[in-house]
Amino acid sequence: MTDTEHSISSPGSSAAQDRVELSISGMTCASCANRIEKRLNKLDGVTATVNYATEKAAVSYAEGIDPDDLVAQVEAAGYSATLPLKRPEAEATSAEAEETESLRQRVLISAALSLPVVLMAMIPALQFDNWQWLSLTLAAPVVVWGAYPFHHAAWTNLRHGTATMDTLISLGTLAAFGWSLYALFFGGAGEPGMKMAFQFTVERSSGADEIYLEVASAVTTFILAGRYFEARAKRRTGAALRTLLDLGAKDVVVLRNGAEERIAIDQLAVGDTFVARPGEKIATDGVITEGSSAVDASLLTGESVPIEVVPGDPVTGATVNAGGRLLIRATRVGADTQLAQIARLVTDAQTGKAQVQRLADRVSGVFVPIVIVLSLATLGYWLLTGAGAAAAFTAAVAVLIIACPCALGLATPVALMVGTGRGAQLGILIKGPEVLESTREVDTVVLDKTGTVTTGKMTLIEVVTEPGNDSGEVLRLVGALENASEHPIGRAIAVEALERSGDLTTVESFTNREGLGVEGVVEGHAVIAGRPALLGEWGLELSGHLQRAKEAAEQAGRTAVVAAWDGEVRAVFVVSDTVKPTSAEAIGQLKDLGLQPVLLTGDNERAARSVAAEVGIDEVIAEVLPADKVEVISRLQGEGRIVAMIGDGVNDAAALARADLGLSMGTGTDAAIEASDLTLVRGDLRSAPDAIRLARRTLSTIKGNLFWAFAYNIAALPLAAAGYLNPMIAGAAMAFSSVFVVSNSLRLRRFAPLHSEGSAT
């Protein structure tokens, strides 16, 4: 992704712009979304993207524009819009459920009435005297009431001088019904004993004794059924986001004046201290002030192993307190919490459009008028060639019905909804649809070392003692000394000593020698720990045994701490930033995806080479200053590579933005997360290949959907115009195409991480 592209897509890139997400109702196809989008974008200072599948409009607007004016523009186009504050999520979900239930009722009643109409038309043996009048009685409610949503939308569009998919459906069904009325009342179709054979091909006749009630009713039923299954599937695709939003606690117990008080979650403020009892959800992001426990973050991150927490540790809202009672000071509430940010990222990704969808929108925008002209041309052609009114009418109606661009409008957004929703469940946040196209081309992945491939925390690897010294005793005394230090290397020794001993002696006369080490009295022993230079001040030297251990540690890129007391050098402590247990597996998976891994770090060459060898990376770029990381990415791009960057720190943010694809570890800084295209909520590097696989799978699904939609219309239109496609069959096929696209997209819900199954999915 170039700098220019990133400046457009990054939140906060336009400080003078506000953003609102409108809920749109009344859209029936991609043409509707395209029309609303064009109308909003005509306003000065407004940039809008309308998504048919999510029924949302993401609108950025300049200061001074009233959001109510945006709503008015949508309503002027013949649709309805509501601002988010005026339509709570629960109310919106309820409205969607009511709409789906209304569609279900129309489908069931229309199907019950249409079935006998179709059977009588198809089976001459069922055509008793005056059967055609019973057909009219049954079909009329279907065409008038069942198809009312299509007629209403078509009329609204007509008043605004436009045509959409509903125009095609309404024209087709009303034309079939109107022709049948003409044949029944003014032709010979109403006479007793009238018989009609069900035909698929063109035959020459006047059409005065032909009725198309089965076409009008069956097409209405098929398309209503398609709309119902589409609406139900769209609700399912948004389930992951609704699950995320429902994760949060609804109320919370706060401590006020020493007493516990239960309040609604929206009354909680930053700085409040609240209680999390065992088994309860943690109400919001905060820092533990009292108590220790294990926190289950699986619902949010997908990580199944609970995390041990103690006072001073941060915790995330919506995670579950699995152990003891905790007192937590709230640090972020409401829209600032990690949960809210995740939900916002998912929503933004679902609202955006990939380049392939913009092409589909442009096609669908001009498709309907072309189809109407094609239908009229088909009617005129067959009449002029003498095929007869019935044959001409059948072909023209079939053209109208088969051409409805439902599948085109659904191909991208539904797949995007399912893919991003599934990603959110797995702790993979895709920031926008354009990210999908980036993942296809990437061939090189640059990984920051500290915090990405490694844990980012110093850990005691080994204690090498002088003969005659007990390693446990050495660790206990030196650990007690280092426990008084704040240095990361000293903390690593202290933590290990605390874990092994359970308790550490308090140090006396502690002195921190800047750049050299620490000194103090522990249990009557004058203990020193640090660089050899510090020991040199005390006239102490390392034995050959300890000198070799120190050199071996440094050769491997690790840090050696020398310790002594009572005039003797006792041990060498080997400390290092350890490689994450899953990093080597993750690197192997990235290679399997055809990516060349490169380790990029500001650390020294030996430490970098050691880590690279441990995880299986051949190419290493070490001793790079933070400001130079962007230059390294640019250089690799200059070599013709398409580069992905994985990092977690503030010093990675610029490189993440410069890369063609930026992936940030969710355990990292806000700056890195903001600059990236994909966020991996967990600190597990295996999420990176999973994220790339999911993005590629989603893009493949989108392209497959679009191919089906285009191929379907291209193949079916000539058949319909040639008279070889009965309108009823055309209606069923059109409805099936939409259901197919949605069902194909829903397969993404079965996407699973490689490490959970051991094979690609």
Side-chain angles (χ1 to χ4, degrees), residues 179-193:
W179 179 271
S180 301
L181 290 178
Y182 167 79
L184 284 169
F185 288 99
F186 302 105
E191 297 178 0

Side-chain angles (χ1 to χ4, degrees), residues 320-664:
V320 178
N321 177 18
R325 181 177 183 270
L326 297 174
L327 294 184
I328 303 167
R329 186 183 74 255
T331 56
R332 292 191 290 191
V333 298
D336 296 328
T337 64
Q338 185 178 345
L339 176 65
Q341 290 171 355
I342 289 172
R344 190 157 55 245
L345 284 172
V346 175
T347 301
D348 290 346
Q350 292 182 348
T351 306
K353 291 185 180 179
Q355 199 60 38
V356 285
Q357 176 63 20
R358 296 190 183 279
L359 172 63
D361 284 352
R362 287 196 294 271
V363 171
S364 64
V366 299
F367 195 60
V368 174
I370 291 174
V371 168
I372 292 174
V373 171
L374 181 60
S375 177
L376 292 174
T378 300
L379 179 68
Y381 172 80
W382 286 112
L383 288 174
L384 290 173
T385 56
F393 179 78
T394 300
V397 170
V399 168
L400 283 176
I401 293 169
I402 198 67
C404 297
C406 271
L408 279 179
L410 292 170
T412 295
V414 174
L416 194 59
M417 286 177 72
V418 182
T420 54
R422 179 59 180 150
Q425 291 176 328
L426 297 173
I428 299 166
L429 305 182
I430 302 172
K431 281 199 175 177
E434 64 280 354
V435 173
L436 305 177
E437 284 145 350
S438 301
T439 60
R440 176 67 69 183
E441 306 299 328
V442 166
D443 54 30
T444 301
V445 57
V446 175
L447 302 102
D448 171 57
K449 181 179 77 71
T450 306
T452 302
V453 176
T454 65
T455 62
K457 296 180 180 179
M458 302 302 284
T459 304
L460 180 62
I461 303 298
E462 185 182 10
V463 180
V464 181
T465 61
E466 191 73 350
N469 288 273
D470 177 64
S471 61
E473 177 73 5
V474 169
L475 180 60
R476 188 175 63 80
L477 292 178
V478 177
L481 175 66
E482 294 286 13
N483 196 37
S485 171
E486 294 299 325
H487 195 283
I489 294 175
R491 296 305 306 163
I493 297 172
V495 166
E496 183 67 24
L498 189 60
E499 286 184 3
R500 293 194 192 182
S501 305
D503 191 21
L504 295 177
T505 305
T506 303
V507 64
E508 299 173 15
S509 304
F510 176 81
T511 304
N512 182 10
R513 301 288 302 278
E514 192 70 34
L516 292 174
V518 290
E519 303 171 352
V521 177
V522 182
E523 297 180 1
H525 300 286
V527 183
I528 56 176
R531 297 178 181 273
L534 179 60
L535 274 66
E537 292 184 5
W538 290 79
L540 300 175
E541 293 184 0
L542 276 69
S543 67
H545 170 62
L546 293 183
Q547 182 66 32
R548 288 190 295 272
K550 172 182 171 294
E551 291 173 355
E554 292 173 347
Q555 189 66 34
R558 294 168 175 169
T559 300
V561 176
V562 184
W565 66 82
D566 294 345
E568 292 183 32
V569 180
R570 308 282 180 164
V572 169
F573 293 81
V574 180
V575 179
S576 176
D577 176 12
T578 56
V579 172
K580 293 178 181 178
T582 58
S583 290
E585 182 182 352
I587 298 301
Q589 292 173 2
L590 289 169
K591 288 180 177 179
D592 290 342
L593 289 172
L595 304 178
Q596 174 66 39
V598 177
L599 189 66
L600 177 65
T601 179
D603 211 341
N604 65 73
E605 182 82 18
R606 286 186 300 183
R609 291 283 176 191
S610 174
V611 169
E614 189 172 344
V615 298
I617 297 177
D618 298 324
E619 190 172 351
V620 176
I621 303 173
E623 300 178 19
V624 177
L625 296 174
D628 296 334
K629 288 189 176 183
V630 174
E631 184 182 330
V632 171
I633 299 295
S634 299
R635 177 168 57 79
L636 292 172
Q637 290 170 330
E639 295 172 1
R641 302 199 205 184
I642 309 298
V643 181
M645 167 77 184
I646 306 176
D648 74 327
V650 172
N651 59 350
D652 299 322
L656 287 167
R658 178 62 189 168
D660 299 285
L661 180 69
L663 298 90
S664 67

Side-chain angles (χ1 to χ4, degrees), residues 20 71 76 89 103 110 136 193 248 302 405 424 457 459 468 525 565 580 608 661 684 690 696 741 748:
V20 68
V71 173
E89 186 68 27
L103 267 174
S110 297
L136 176 62
K457 296 180 180 179
T459 304
H525 300 286
W565 66 82
K580 293 178 181 178
L661 180 69
D684 190 339
D690 287 336
R696 287 181 175 180
V741 163
L748 287 168

